[in-house]
């Protein structure tokens, strides 16, 4: 169980979920304002949202095919929560750094 | 309500206006407001117990690892073949208790490298149960320091302590039910669950607390809902026994129970002696069925009697559901008598929920995810508790003299949150420091935990609130950081050795303690460093406990202050009175 493919599956899961949630966050107008200072075009926003959903779906597929339904779904649930938390913290840190630079 | 609308001059119009205002007021208390109140009060009422249940339950995901850390004498080694271990330990127990009618042996795993067992001996007073732990390699009784290890936190999180187990479980069930209500009402209250998904408004005091609370809740929502609901399901036959009670006799009830978990009471002995077959080959037969490492436990009933039966039970950690899977052999002929490889859909549903709650199937990554998300849930409860004081702090009628309920919540928050960190770490300190031959050593580790917690409560009650937070956070940080140091002094499995040997249980534990120490130190520094925007009023009222009058003027608390300070005090509450807000800012990083 603890061979290389074990770690690879978990890495892929976490990265897919994190990328998916990052796309989701950037597809939200509020965060576009924060990051780019302007809203992205409607088509770019749609594309980002689609990419987000696709990445999350891909992660689900990887989880279930590599670990089976029961273990896969549980691991997937954990990875989505952890990845969303990671994106949340990343946005927070980014904002914070920008604010501190602005204050200087 | 006293506002008069421009056209409300004639009596008829007046009543109309009154009605519309009334209707508006009623409308304003819509479903969200009601749900918000429900959320706040259900949360507060059981918040402290929930916090303790959440945190001790969270660490219990590593209960086997904690137990190993607390038994440093027990060398890390892969367990020997299951057939050998089962036979050795069974022989030992049969020598110790030849008249035992039932022997149950839980085999070692990679996570738990020793054997635990219990056996039942008939006596005139009824059946007598004895527990024992055994060395997996020799089969002898385990020679380690007496400790309850991680099992203590696991039991504490639904049984509590010093009270009958059944009471504890009823209290835990009540807390879980309140938690379920708080989760559902919280989701309804939270207007913009998707819009605010990634939002955190930094440095906005109460807003930031609310965002932190909502963020922690929403990110782990699937887990929080699952863990609360499944927690209730694990004890559903205690809370709702009516279905089982409706069954006419004990045999029927046993039949239901044995569909849900492995539960096979010994039948009547035949009264005719017959030698028990060696169990090793039976275990090997089962391993062919389930694969290597597939056997989790064995149970032998009526050994030495013609009616002897050997049950070989499948390893729990290899599947999510906790429903029983086993094979049963005739203990004299060795004939395969029964194969149980599934239960009905109702039992299986319960089994999956139970299994999801326990997470015993989780591999190391999934286990850490369980731990982290559950830790997020713990922080969710903590931010909720602090939020209660932060919100009310701003609206206090006399900020320098909060009402009793406020002070109570404030102090209990300190003891429940900062105090529990101190108490839990103390438990590990007692494990290392109590004399090895102390009578009742395992119980004294537990008593030590509660003494530390009680001391933290007393400290939280007598010190000014802000200082109590800071001091207890510092104490927790020092104790946490001290554990790896203590490990160097009292064992030879300290961080340097464990890193060198790749002993990841010990290295992981020590490193995790250092991370938690850093977290507590950050909390302490930020809480201490934060200054309210107002200039501190004067030393004297600051030093007084927040419950006391800051100045001599009873009617007007600020009467004794100079004019300038008076104005300041009128707009800004004194340092002392703004404490939880300080803590709030410290958490969220706001600086003045």
């Amino acid at each position: 169980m603890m061979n290389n493919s074990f770690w690879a599956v978990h890495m892929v899961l976490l990265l897919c979920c994190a990328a998916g949630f990052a796309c989701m966050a950037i597809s939200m107008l509020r965060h576009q304002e924060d990051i780019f200072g302007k809203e992205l075009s409607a088509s770019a926003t749609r594309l980002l949202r689609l990419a987000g959903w696709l990445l999350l779906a891909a992660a689900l597929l990887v989880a279930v095919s590599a670990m089976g339904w029961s273990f896969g779904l549980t691991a997937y649930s954990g990875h989505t929560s952890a990845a969303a938390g990671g994106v949340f913290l990343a946005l927070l840190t980014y904002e914070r750094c920008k604010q501190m630079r602005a204050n200087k | 309500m006293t506002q008069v609308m421009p056209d409300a001059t004639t009596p008829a119009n007046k009543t109309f206006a009154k009605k519309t205002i009334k209707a508006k007021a009623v409308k304003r208390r819509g479903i969200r407001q009601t749900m918000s109140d429900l959320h706040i009060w259900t949360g507060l009422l059981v918040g402290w117990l929930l916090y303790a249940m959440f945190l001790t339950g969270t660490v219990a995901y590593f209960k086997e690892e904690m137990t190993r850390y607390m038994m440093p004498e027990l060398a890390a080694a892969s367990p020997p073949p299951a057939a050998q271990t089962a036979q050795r330990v069974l022989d030992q127990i049969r020598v110790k208790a030849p008249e035992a009618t039932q022997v149950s042996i839980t085999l070692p795993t990679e996570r738990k490298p020793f054997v635990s067992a219990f056996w039942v001996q008939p006596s005139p007073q009824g059946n007598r149960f004895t527990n024992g732990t055994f060395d997996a390699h020799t089969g002898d009784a385990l020679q380690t320091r007496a400790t309850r290890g991680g099992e203590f936190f696991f039991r504490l999180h639904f049984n509590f302590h010093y009270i009958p187990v059944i009471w504890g479980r009823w209290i835990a069930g009540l807390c879980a039910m309140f938690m379920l209500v708080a989760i559902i009402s919280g989701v309804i209250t939270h207007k913009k669950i998707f819009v605010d998904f990634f939002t955190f408004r930094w440095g906005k005091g109460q807003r930031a607390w609310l965002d932190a609370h909502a963020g922690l809740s929403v990110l782990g929502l699937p887990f929080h809902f699952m863990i609360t609901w499944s927690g209730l399901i694990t004890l559903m036959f205690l809370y709702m026994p009516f279905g089982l009670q409706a069954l006419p006799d004990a045999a029927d009830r046993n039949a239901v129970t044995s569909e849900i978990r492995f539960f096979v009471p010994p039948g009547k002995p035949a009264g005719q002696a017959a030698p028990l077959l060696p169990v090793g080959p039976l275990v090997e037969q089962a391993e062919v069925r389930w694969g290597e490492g597939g056997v989790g436990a064995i149970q032998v009933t009526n050994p030495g009697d013609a009616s002897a039966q050997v049950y070989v039970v499948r390893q729990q950690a290899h599947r999510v559901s906790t429903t029983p899977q086993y094979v049963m052999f005739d203990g004299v002929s060795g004939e395969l008598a029964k194969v149980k490889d599934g239960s009905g859909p109702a039992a299986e549903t319960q089994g999956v929920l139970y299994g999801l709650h326990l997470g015993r199937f989780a591999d190391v990554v999934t286990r850490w995810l369980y731990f982290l998300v559950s830790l997020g849930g713990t922080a969710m409860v903590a931010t909720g508790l602090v939020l209660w004081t932060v919100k009310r702090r701003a609206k206090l009628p006399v900020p320098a003299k909060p009402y009793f309920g406020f002070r109570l919540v404030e102090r209990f928050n300190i003891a429940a949150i900062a105090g529990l960190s101190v108490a839990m770490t103390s438990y590990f300190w007692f494990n290392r420091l109590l004399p090895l031959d102390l009578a009742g050593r395992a119980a004294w580790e537990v008593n030590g935990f509660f003494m530390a917690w009680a001391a933290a409560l007393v400290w939280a009650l007598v010190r000014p609130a802000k200082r109590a937070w800071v001091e207890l956070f510092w104490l927790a940080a020092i104790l946490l950081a001290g554990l790896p140091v203590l490990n160097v002094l009292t064992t030879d499995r300290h961080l340097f050795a464990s890193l060198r040997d790749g002993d990841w249980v010990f290295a992981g534990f020590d490193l995790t303690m250092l991370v938690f120490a850093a977290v507590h130190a950050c909390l302490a520094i930020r809480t201490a460093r934060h200054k309210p925007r107002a200039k501190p009023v004067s030393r004297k009222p600051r030093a007084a406990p927040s419950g006391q009058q800051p100045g001599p003027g009873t009617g007007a608390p600020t009467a004794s202050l100079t004019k300038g300070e008076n104005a300041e005090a009128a707009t800004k509450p004194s340092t002392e009175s703004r404490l939880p807000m300080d803590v709030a800012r410290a958490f969220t990083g706001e600086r003045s």
Side-chain angles (χ1 to χ4, degrees):
Chain A
M1 193 103 169
M2 302 289 276
N3 50 23
N4 285 335
S5 80
F6 165 84
W7 295 106
V9 166
H10 279 296
M11 279 301 278
V12 168
L13 275 180
L14 190 61
L15 288 176
C16 270
C17 290
F21 276 113
C23 288
M24 292 284 201
I26 305 172
S27 77
M28 292 166 82
L29 298 183
R30 174 185 285 159
H31 302 297
Q32 293 176 1
E33 288 272 1
D34 288 346
I35 297 169
F36 306 110
K38 59 173 178 134
E39 290 179 9
L40 298 179
S41 69
S43 58
T45 301
R46 237 190 338 263
L47 202 67
L48 276 167
R49 190 165 300 143
L50 184 70
W53 281 115
L54 282 179
L55 280 162
L56 288 179
L60 180 61
L61 203 70
V62 171
V64 171
S65 62
M67 304 166 81
W69 280 104
S70 49
F71 294 168
L73 279 178
T74 323
Y76 180 72
S77 173
H79 280 294
T80 46
S81 281
V87 171
F88 185 93
L89 284 178
L91 283 173
L92 199 66
T93 319
Y94 177 80
E95 267 297 279
R96 191 84 182 128
C97 291
K98 212 168 81 174
Q99 220 173 43
M100 279 165 119
R101 249 178 288 136
N103 287 346
K104 260 180 199 168
Chain B
M1 291 295 275
T2 52
Q3 200 184 353
V4 179
M5 284 162 78
D7 60 341
T9 40
T10 66
N13 271 355
K14 245 180 199 163
T15 37
F16 173 75
K18 251 187 194 163
K19 264 186 185 162
T20 40
I21 291 172
K22 222 179 193 174
K24 251 189 193 165
V26 169
K27 203 178 160 205
R28 215 178 293 141
R29 285 197 49 83
I31 181 84
R32 274 213 166 105
Q33 190 55 51
T34 314
M35 285 295 144
S36 167
D37 288 349
L38 183 65
H39 180 80
I40 290 167
W41 294 104
T42 46
L44 181 73
L45 204 57
V46 296
W48 301 301
L49 281 182
L50 265 183
Y51 180 81
M53 284 167 70
F54 236 118
L55 187 57
T56 52
T58 299
V59 299
Y61 282 120
F62 285 115
K63 78 182 173 100
E64 310 297 0
E65 288 75 10
M66 282 191 285
T67 304
R68 277 166 76 178
Y69 186 83
M70 294 176 78
M71 294 177 173
E73 304 85 0
L74 186 68
S78 281
Q84 263 179 39
T85 312
Q87 188 65 60
R88 277 194 196 123
V89 174
L90 180 64
D91 292 345
Q92 283 278 346
I93 294 172
R94 290 198 65 203
V95 170
K96 260 189 205 183
E99 72 285 14
T101 53
Q102 178 188 337
V103 180
S104 294
I105 299 171
T106 305
L107 294 168
T109 62
E110 289 290 336
R111 289 183 63 212
K112 173 177 165 274
F114 60 91
V115 181
S116 46
F118 72 88
W119 52 96
V120 183
Q121 288 156 283
S123 76
Q125 293 86 33
N127 284 338
R128 204 153 52 84
F129 284 75
T130 315
N131 286 302
T133 47
F134 298 89
D135 188 301
H137 292 268
T138 62
D140 298 330
L142 197 63
Q143 297 295 324
T144 57
R145 65 188 64 196
T147 177
R148 291 191 57 201
E151 189 71 15
F152 165 63
F153 290 132
F154 176 66
R155 297 281 157 192
L156 183 68
H157 105 277
F158 60 96
N159 283 347
F160 301 101
H161 203 77
Y162 299 128
I163 55 170
V165 165
I166 294 297
W167 292 17
R169 292 181 181 187
W170 273 104
I171 296 170
L174 193 76
C175 291
M177 205 61 225
F178 270 65
M179 174 84 188
L180 203 58
V181 170
I183 288 177
I184 293 166
S185 57
V187 169
I188 298 171
T189 309
H190 188 25
K191 275 182 268 199
K192 304 183 216 156
I193 199 159
F194 292 111
V195 179
D196 279 353
F197 199 86
F198 297 111
T199 304
F200 188 83
R201 278 153 290 197
W202 195 289
K204 297 251 165 55
Q206 190 182 318
R207 267 263 141 238
W209 272 106
L210 196 60
D211 284 348
H213 182 61
L216 287 164
S217 312
V218 172
L219 293 174
L221 189 61
F223 175 84
H224 304 327
F225 185 77
M226 176 280 284
I227 209 70
T228 310
W229 186 39
S230 61
L232 285 163
I233 295 292
T234 57
L235 294 172
M236 65 188 223
F237 289 109
L238 172 67
Y239 304 138
M240 300 225 145
F242 321 112
L244 269 185
Q245 282 171 354
L247 291 173
D249 60 57
D252 287 334
R253 289 193 287 272
N254 284 349
V256 172
T257 311
S258 57
E259 281 296 299
I260 291 161
R261 59 189 167 87
F262 179 72
F263 173 71
V264 202
K268 275 236 173 308
Q272 194 183 345
L276 182 72
L277 277 182
V279 295
L282 305 179
V283 171
E284 277 163 359
Q285 268 191 56
E287 273 189 326
V288 172
R289 186 178 288 269
W290 296 317
E292 204 188 325
V295 174
I298 67 162
Q299 175 177 312
V300 183
T301 53
N302 298 328
D305 185 85
S307 68
Q309 289 171 332
V310 178
Y311 295 83
V312 183
V313 188
R314 193 172 176 193
Q315 176 61 259
Q316 187 82 84
H318 285 195
R319 42 197 282 273
V320 174
S321 178
T322 56
T323 49
Q325 291 193 357
Y326 59 85
V327 287
M328 190 250 274
F329 299 94
D330 185 305
V332 180
S333 69
E335 185 196 344
L336 179 64
K338 187 179 177 186
V339 177
K340 170 94 180 142
D341 55 5
S343 299
E348 212 60 75
T349 307
Q350 203 255 359
V352 167
L353 284 166
Y354 204 148
L356 277 177
H357 190 95
L358 293 170
R360 296 213 171 126
F361 60 89
D363 59 53
V364 62
V365 176
T366 311
R367 184 166 300 280
W368 271 99
L369 289 172
Y370 256 112
F371 179 75
L372 288 175
V373 179
S374 191
L375 210 55
T378 311
M380 165 184 81
V381 179
T383 50
L385 280 170
V386 176
L387 192 55
W388 192 93
T389 57
V390 170
K391 260 173 121 169
R392 274 151 198 81
R393 169 76 55 193
K395 295 181 208 144
L396 280 179
V398 189
K401 190 174 191 288
Y403 48 91
F404 174 74
F406 186 92
R407 293 202 314 263
L408 183 82
V409 173
E410 186 182 42
R411 301 312 171 112
F412 270 56
N413 278 356
I414 301 172
I417 298 169
L420 186 57
S421 295
V422 172
M424 288 173 77
T425 319
S426 303
Y427 179 60
F428 296 118
W429 273 76
F430 283 115
N431 174 261
R432 288 292 189 263
L433 291 181
L434 288 180
L436 295 183
D437 54 356
L438 179 72
R441 187 179 190 283
W444 275 109
E445 286 179 6
V446 172
N447 294 339
F449 166 88
F450 284 103
M451 288 190 303
W453 206 359
L457 175 64
V458 171
W459 195 260
L461 291 174
V462 299
R463 296 289 291 164
K466 178 180 179 178
R467 289 191 200 170
W469 276 114
V470 173
E471 287 156 356
L472 288 178
F473 276 144
W474 269 127
L475 180 61
I478 291 166
L479 287 174
L480 283 160
L483 259 184
V485 179
L486 191 65
N487 215 16
V488 174
L489 299 175
T490 56
T491 76
D492 51 6
R493 294 176 77 182
H494 45 78
L495 193 50
F496 307 108
S498 57
L499 280 176
R500 186 194 59 212
D501 302 340
D503 179 359
W504 287 109
V505 169
F506 272 66
F509 193 102
D510 276 344
L511 290 172
T512 308
M513 289 303 109
L514 291 176
V515 171
F516 278 130
V519 170
H520 281 82
C522 278
L523 290 174
I525 290 170
R526 302 212 114 167
T527 312
R529 212 189 259 167
H530 179 261
K531 298 241 164 40
R533 289 197 180 94
K535 226 168 49 186
V537 183
S538 70
R539 287 303 301 176
K540 216 172 155 198
R542 247 182 114 182
S546 66
Q548 287 174 18
Q549 201 69 34
T554 322
T558 53
S560 65
L561 303 173
T562 63
K563 208 178 170 191
E565 283 169 333
N566 197 355
E568 196 180 82
T571 49
K572 300 272 177 190
S574 75
T575 319
E576 195 56 62
S577 67
R578 287 174 58 86
L579 292 178
M581 199 66 143
D582 297 348
V583 179
R585 292 222 186 76
F587 272 100
T588 56
E590 188 188 333
R591 307 259 176 109
S592 43

